[in-house]
Each structure stands twice: as structure tokens, then as C-alpha cells.
Amino acid sequence: MATAVNETTQNPGAGAYFEVGADIGDTKAPDGPIDRKWSQRKFGAALVNPANRRKLSVIVVGTGLAGGAAAATLGEAGYNVLNFCYQDSPRRAHSIAAQGGINAAKNYRNDNDSTYRLFYDTVKGGDYRARENNVYRLAEVSANIIDQCVAQGVPFAREYGGLLDNRSFGGVQVQRTFYARGQTGQQLLIGAYQSLERQVAAGTVQMFARHEMLELILVDGRARGIVTRNMVTGAIEAHTADAVVLATGGYGNVFFLSTNAMGCNVTACWRAHRKGAYFGNPCYTQIHPTCIPVHGDTQSKLTLMSESLRNDGRIWVPKNAEDCDKDPREIAEEDRDYYLERIYPAFGNLVPRDIASRQAKNRCDEGRGVGPAVEEVDHETGETRRVRRGVYLDFASAIERMGRQTVENKYGNLFDMYAQITGENPYETPMRIYPAVHYTMGGLWVDYDLMSNITGLYVTGEANFSDHGANRLGASALMQGLADGYFVLPNTINDYLSKGPFEKVGADHPAVVEALRETTSRVERLLAINGSRTVDSFHKELGTIMWEYCGMERSEEGLTFAIARIRELREEFWRDVKVTGLNEDFNQTLERAGRVADFLEMGELMCVDALHRRESCGGHFRAESQTEDGEALRHDDEFLYVAAWEFTGVGNKPVLHKEALVYDNVELKQRSYK
């Protein structure tokens, strides 16, 4: 760790929360033209001959698109793969929930798409806070993903002539999104799952379902294994290998209410962070504009309605607040404010997610939201208020233009889902939507090879920070997960494994014994507290703090308050949480307790990161940094870097390491979609 330097002159109060360490950089990306870097890296990486691969082992944690694709590909290459997931089946990974589509620069619509345009749109969509080299590679391999998945039998939508169909997503002006109705993630995951199960049957992949990773094992500074808890029997076990891959998704459930599955958590990445892995841009959270609104205080999850609906649905609110109680079908056309079409005529309803979300919030803050009012606490005054948090997503024009049957063919399963949840018929009445936490652009820091700063620890998919900057464009999550799993990791991990085989790590190795002891001690401590508050009550309170102060809009005052309150809540958790049952049993309360304990530490780091970044960019909106018309205002002179945080102990100041962002191929400018 480098000697801290004083940043308080630039950022008043910063010294109270963090220290600044040495700058870092990505040393793996080759020099030269950006369109040749990936080819150069693949050629320059050392190879492992097939006979030697049989002597090497890799642990892959996660079976979603990134983890499942990686495990299947590495197994097919001949490595010995140990694949872990906490679900009862690999195909229940959260990738299954993605609905709208996957991007690829194949230019099937002949609308002037290209690898460079996909690269440019992604960098711009991330508000110039993504790493150029990684994003270009993502765009470059995107076309290969579609060919791979078609070969697996993924039933992408097709036009009448049999060619694959495309549609648009937010933040772009071309049609490059391939889709399988409203269940693209499910179909892609089934494709990866089939490939994975083929390798399980072949004996190259050993599957461990219902196992949750609780610790990372380091030997001489290298990642050599993990500690897991068998979620059925409670057995705490060590597993060792020559390298470890984390493909464990994002940490959106730190907000309690999100579109993520209830089991999604940060524990695997946080255990690695506590062992020395840097955490990149933790405050970068994606708010998705197209979710079914909160309807009360008893919900534990929010439901996403696909962004693909914005292709044909029109978003509006009443022009007059007194019309908000009316049946939307009774509000005349001239009394409707199609605000995205009005403010952003070039992109209309297909502006990026962060912009659509912020404008929906603004309309509701003005008192023009629709639907039932929900109770909120004004964090400035402490007073309770009731606010309508919803806007309309209307398909009347689309049904009139295309006919109901065409709309049903394109979006039918999404409309059915909405009707089942709300009891309303979206073919007849506009849907009500509102923003919700959906994805996290932050994650463990990785280099061009997807290796973290811990030697031998690789991180793929949403679990790493590298490709999206401050805002992910729609239909890019599936693209990144499969790009990392099928094409990037298998071509870079060879370079590391070529130095093997490494010395075997046995069950009696001191590092293994110590990791098992730490894990067992933590579990025993949680069970011994026997307090009065439920795990969920702590999680819900943390989520409220995060949403109010580190959500759609942030301020120095609010973030400072949030950090103090999270610290108090964490102390209370370890003093008064009640974890029932035994370890040696199926114990979901114990599972949730471990995850919430990590969320309480993660939430503080997110707020510290948000406090230090005194600019608005992408999904990160600081109230103190906005243009005259309320748009996000970046400060490239101060914050053109990745914030990579080093863990120094609970209650200690984390250390900030900066990786400068260099843009040689894209011009830095204020983002505009008008």
C-alpha cells in the first residue's frame, strides 16, 4: 500500500473517509491501433498444449452466462473445471431473468452499424468512464456470440424470410439487438447450460450446486482455492485449484428492493476484496426506467419490464397534476406530456436508461406522477409524505399502427406478466412503470486479461468493472457475460496456466486451514449473537438508506449522513441480529445473515466512492454537479479515472488507487441525446 497523500484541498472532508495510494494501470493491453490489440494479445499469450491441460484445474464460481460459458469452454478445452453455484441447478442463475436482447454489430439492418459504432455508443453511453481497450474488444467479439448461440440452437426471433431479426435499445440509433421474444436471457442461458452439461457428462466439469462461496484461499499471494458452505448440510469445505474465476454477478441487492433475484449477493467478490482484490467504481449503479412501481412497504423484490417495450411504447404523464387521478384513457392527447419525446427529439423514448430514469423521477417530484401514492420520508426535513411514483408506458399508438396481434407476437409474454402482477390489462390500459435498481457497473478491478490485482484470480461478467463506465446501455449485459465466458477468458487464462502445473495445495496447507477456521468462526459468531432483530429488518433499513442517499440522486450532505448511519447499523447488526437454527442444516436465515453482513460493509464503500466523485456521470448524479437544464455535468479535469479501492480493515479508511482513463479513439465531450 502506498503512502497516503492529501486530497483534502481538492475534496474537502475526504481525509475523514479515505486515503489516496499509488496510481495503477493496465499493463496487459498491447500497444498499437485499437482494432489490432485483441489479435495481438491472443497471439502474444502463451498456450497450453492439450496434454498439459489435463494436469491443470480451474475453479469457476457462478453458472450464469459468464460462469456457465467459461466453465463449458474451459472444460471443452481439456482443463479440469470445478463449477459452483448456490442455486439448485446451474440453469437457475440470474442471467435467466434478462428479457430484452443482446447486442451485436452485424449490421443486418443495413443502417450503418459497425464494430466502431457499437464501441462508440457503449463508451458514450457509459459517459466516458469506461476503458477504451476493453469496450472495443467487447464490440469486436460481439458478432461471434450470435454465431455461437445460433449453433447451440438458441431460438432468436426471425423475420419472414428467415433472417435473424433486430430491434433498438436505448442510447443508440441503429437496430442491433438480437432477441428471443421477451425471454432472451433464458434462451441464452439454456444454450450455455446445454454446453456445460455436455462437459459435466464428459467428466471435464465437476458441478457443485447448492454451494455458496464464503472465502478465498491465497497461497503465496496467488488465488488457489475457495471455501464453500454446503447449503443443504452446512458442511464447510475447502476446494483448491490452479486458478479461480469469479462470475458471480452484481451487488444490486444492497438496495434491498431491486430487480435482482433475492439470492443475488456480493459475498464472493467481497471475500476477495477483503483478501486484497481492488474494487472498481463501486458507486456506479444502474437504475432501470422500466419497472413495475413499488406498491407498498411489504415488497421484497421489484419486477423488470423489458427495455424493449420502449421500441413501441410511448412514455408520458399528465400535463396537469389534477389529471393524475383520472383514468389515463380519459386524458385527452393534448393534455399528455410525452416528455422524453419533447426533451430528447433525436432519441425520444430510446434515450439511455439513466436519462429516462432521472426524467421519470423529475416528473414525479413535480407532482405529476401516476398510480397510488406511496409513503416516503423527506430526508432533509424528516417529515412523512405521500408521492405518486409512476409514469405511463402506453401501447395504444402501437396497437393502432401494427394491430394487437403483432404487438402480442413481439411482447406477449411481457404483457401477460404485467397483467398477472398488477391485475391490469396493458392492451387496454397503459402500463405504469418507475425506475428501480437493476445492474451494477462497478465490480472487482481487472486488467485486459480479466485478472484482478490478485495473481490467479479472474473476474468475468457483471462481477468485474471493466466495460460499461458509469451507465450500461441496454442489451449489453448478456453481450459482456458471453463475450467474457466464451471468447475472452479462455484466450487469456492460458497465459497464466502455461506457467503451471503449480505445486499442489493439500487440505493440511496452512492457508487452507486458516481459511476454514476464519469461515467457521464467522458462521459461529453469527449464530451466537441471538439478538432481537431479524436479518431482513437490517437489510431493509440498509436498502432504504442506500436508495435515499446513494440512489438516483446524491449529495455531499446526504452521503455523509448515510456513511454515519450505515456504520451505526453495522454495529447494531453484530450486536442484535437474530439468526435462528443451526449451521448443520438447511438454514436460509444464516445464508441471508452472511450476505447482509457483507452488504453492510459494501454499502459504506459505495457511499465513500460516491462522496469522493464530485461529478455527475451516467447513473451517478450529484445534485451539486448539473448543467443549467438539469443534465449530468462531468468534470474530466478531476475525475477521468477508474476508482479502484483497497480494503484496509473494517472501520479503517480504504485506499483509493486511480487508473487514468485514456481516450485515443473517442473524443471526450458532453453527452447529448437531444
Side-chain angles (χ1 to χ4, degrees):
M1 187 177 73
T3 303
V5 298
N6 192 337
E7 194 178 74
T8 54
T9 54
Q10 291 184 331
N11 195 352
Y17 297 102
F18 68 93
E19 296 177 343
V20 180
D23 290 348
I24 59 173
D26 175 17
T27 60
K28 300 283 183 62
D31 296 329
I34 197 168
D35 59 349
R36 298 181 191 171
K37 288 180 184 287
W38 180 226
S39 295
Q40 286 180 250
R41 181 62 190 131
K42 286 190 291 183
F43 182 75
L47 301 179
V48 182
N49 82 58
N52 285 339
R53 293 173 200 165
R54 295 192 292 269
K55 305 172 187 176
L56 295 162
S57 58
V58 181
I59 287 173
V60 179
V61 186
T63 59
L65 290 183
T73 307
L74 293 173
E76 189 168 8
Y79 293 108
N80 298 295
V81 180
L82 287 70
N83 198 189
F84 296 82
C85 68
Y86 65 76
Q87 296 91 348
D88 57 358
S89 166
R91 62 173 292 183
R92 289 177 64 85
H94 189 55
S95 299
I96 204 169
Q99 299 165 340
I102 177 171
N103 289 329
K106 293 181 83 72
N107 196 33
Y108 279 5
R109 290 301 186 96
N110 196 29
D111 51 5
N112 200 22
D113 199 10
S114 64
T115 295
Y116 185 86
R117 191 176 296 280
L118 175 52
F119 158 68
Y120 174 81
D121 286 344
T122 305
V123 171
K124 177 185 176 183
D127 217 351
Y128 306 94
R129 291 296 178 264
R131 190 192 275 162
E132 261 197 352
N133 295 330
N134 292 66
V135 178
Y136 192 91
R137 178 177 62 190
L138 177 65
E140 186 178 349
V141 304
S142 65
N144 298 337
I145 299 171
I146 304 303
D147 297 338
Q148 169 90 0
C149 294
V150 169
Q152 290 174 334
V154 174
F156 286 119
R158 295 180 181 267
E159 296 177 318
Y160 178 76
L163 298 177
L164 298 185
D165 196 14
N166 295 111
R167 56 189 178 198
S168 296
F169 260 59
V172 304
Q173 292 177 304
V174 297
Q175 292 176 285
R176 65 162 67 103
T177 303
F178 295 78
Y179 65 98
R181 213 175 185 190
Q183 50 186 242
T184 313
Q186 177 177 345
Q187 298 303 329
L188 291 171
L189 186 62
I190 289 173
Y193 171 73
Q194 291 174 146
S195 296
L196 177 60
E197 288 301 304
R198 178 170 174 262
Q199 296 309 312
V200 171
T204 63
V205 176
Q206 187 177 0
M207 177 57 61
F208 295 84
R210 305 300 288 168
H211 281 68
E212 183 168 23
M213 173 182 163
L214 296 182
E215 190 57 88
L216 178 70
I217 298 173
L218 297 184
V219 177
D220 298 328
R222 296 173 180 265
R224 293 300 307 271
I226 63 173
V227 176
T228 64
R229 179 178 179 271
N230 183 316
M231 296 163 68
V232 177
T233 68
I236 295 174
E237 306 158 340
H239 306 268
T240 58
D242 296 304
V244 177
V245 179
L246 299 185
T248 50
Y251 47 90
N253 275 351
V254 69
F255 291 88
F256 186 71
L257 285 179
S258 80
T259 67
N260 290 188
M262 289 298 293
C264 292
N265 62 83
V266 75
T267 290
C269 286
W270 195 253
R271 296 290 101 195
H273 177 59
R274 288 176 63 108
K275 283 293 180 74
Y278 294 163
F279 214 110
N281 300 330
C283 79
Y284 283 169
T285 305
Q286 173 151 92
I287 312 294
H288 197 298
T290 318
C291 302
I292 298 178
V294 175
H295 61 68
D297 59 3
T298 58
Q299 283 175 272
S300 57
K301 186 186 182 306
L302 298 175
T303 302
L304 170 69
M305 301 305 297
S306 170
E307 183 177 325
S308 63
L309 295 172
R310 292 200 276 149
N311 272 274
D312 294 302
R314 301 180 70 193
I315 296 173
W316 63 277
V317 293
K319 289 182 178 178
N320 305 306
E322 53 268 25
D323 288 341
C324 292
D325 278 328
K326 291 183 178 179
D327 185 317
R329 294 167 293 186
E330 297 176 359
I331 301 175
E333 189 73 14
E334 60 269 20
D335 293 327
R336 301 180 178 189
D337 179 11
Y338 295 93
Y339 56 89
L340 293 178
E341 299 173 32
R342 169 174 58 83
I343 302 172
Y344 308 100
F347 283 76
N349 294 299
L350 287 172
V351 293
R353 292 175 177 178
D354 60 316
I355 291 175
S357 296
R358 195 154 52 246
Q359 292 298 347
K361 178 181 183 297
N362 291 343
R363 302 292 82 77
C364 294
D365 288 346
E366 293 169 358
R368 293 194 285 142
V370 299
V374 294
E375 194 170 279
E376 295 181 359
V377 176
D378 188 317
H379 61 261
E380 293 182 356
T381 66
E383 297 177 357
T384 300
R385 60 186 179 189
R386 297 189 68 80
V387 183
R388 299 178 191 273
R389 293 292 179 189
V391 300
Y392 289 125
L393 177 60
D394 196 336
F395 277 82
S397 296
I399 292 172
E400 182 179 348
R401 182 178 76 253
M402 300 186 296
R404 172 168 171 161
Q405 187 59 52
T406 301
V407 172
E408 192 170 337
N409 290 341
K410 293 177 74 173
Y411 308 113
N413 60 316
L414 299 171
F415 278 51
D416 291 345
M417 182 170 68
Y418 182 88
Q420 290 176 18
I421 292 171
T422 65
E424 300 173 2
N425 185 342
Y427 293 104
E428 299 176 0
T429 306
M431 293 182 181
R432 285 181 294 107
I433 59 170
Y434 193 69
V437 172
H438 177 56
Y439 187 91
T440 49
M441 287 78 66
L444 293 184
W445 183 91
V446 292
D447 61 21
Y448 192 66
D449 283 1
L450 302 184
M451 188 193 286
S452 73
N453 60 295
I454 293 179
T455 304
L457 177 66
Y458 290 80
V459 191
T460 62
E462 189 180 357
N464 75 36
F465 87 97
S466 65
D467 290 8
H468 305 298
N471 176 58
R472 178 176 68 78
L473 290 184
S476 291
L478 304 184
M479 177 173 61
Q480 186 205 352
L482 290 179
D484 286 356
Y486 282 139
F487 301 108
V488 180
L489 180 75
N491 280 296
T492 59
I493 199 170
N494 292 329
D495 192 60
Y496 176 70
L497 293 175
S498 68
K499 301 173 179 64
F502 304 98
E503 181 183 354
K504 296 301 180 184
V505 177
D508 59 347
H509 192 285
V512 175
V513 174
E514 177 60 19
L516 286 168
R517 187 199 64 77
E518 289 177 0
T519 305
T520 302
S521 175
R522 182 179 173 85
V523 169
E524 290 174 348
R525 183 183 175 195
L526 285 168
L527 289 166
I529 296 170
N530 196 29
S532 62
R533 284 190 63 176
T534 65
V535 174
D536 283 354
S537 72
F538 282 102
H539 193 182
K540 189 172 184 178
E541 184 172 349
L542 172 65
T544 300
I545 295 167
M546 296 300 297
W547 178 249
E548 288 295 329
Y549 302 107
C550 197
M552 294 182 67
E553 185 172 311
R554 305 146 184 203
S555 68
E556 181 174 348
E557 181 182 4
L559 290 165
T560 303
F561 170 82
I563 293 168
R565 181 61 194 124
I566 291 170
R567 289 174 176 175
E568 293 172 355
L569 190 65
R570 187 170 64 240
E571 290 180 5
E572 186 179 350
F573 174 90
W574 285 104
R575 185 177 65 248
D576 197 32
V577 71
K578 187 174 187 65
V579 182
T580 56
L582 305 172
N583 173 59
E584 296 74 22
D585 201 353
F586 178 69
N587 190 337
Q588 291 186 301
T589 303
L590 176 60
E591 295 165 20
R592 291 197 300 271
R595 296 165 187 171
V596 171
D598 290 330
F599 278 140
L600 285 163
E601 295 178 14
M602 176 76 206
E604 180 180 340
L605 182 63
M606 290 174 69
C607 291
V608 170
D609 186 38
L611 179 63
H612 114 273
R613 191 171 285 273
R614 294 173 297 104
E615 66 168 353
S616 295
C617 56
H620 171 96
F621 193 78
R622 278 291 288 264
E624 304 94 334
S625 183
Q626 53 186 301
T627 63
E628 291 183 359
D629 54 355
E631 300 289 350
L633 179 62
R634 293 196 324 270
H635 299 295
D636 295 336
D637 56 333
E638 295 183 64
F639 297 103
L640 191 61
Y641 59 79
V642 174
W645 295 91
E646 178 185 353
F647 182 79
T648 59
V650 177
N652 297 332
K653 297 177 185 178
V655 175
L656 169 64
H657 300 275
K658 301 177 183 180
E659 179 201 336
L661 291 169
V662 179
Y663 290 96
D664 293 324
N665 300 274
V666 174
E667 179 188 358
L668 279 168
K669 55 187 177 183
Q670 188 67 28
R671 195 169 55 141
S672 174
Y673 292 91
K674 296 185 177 181

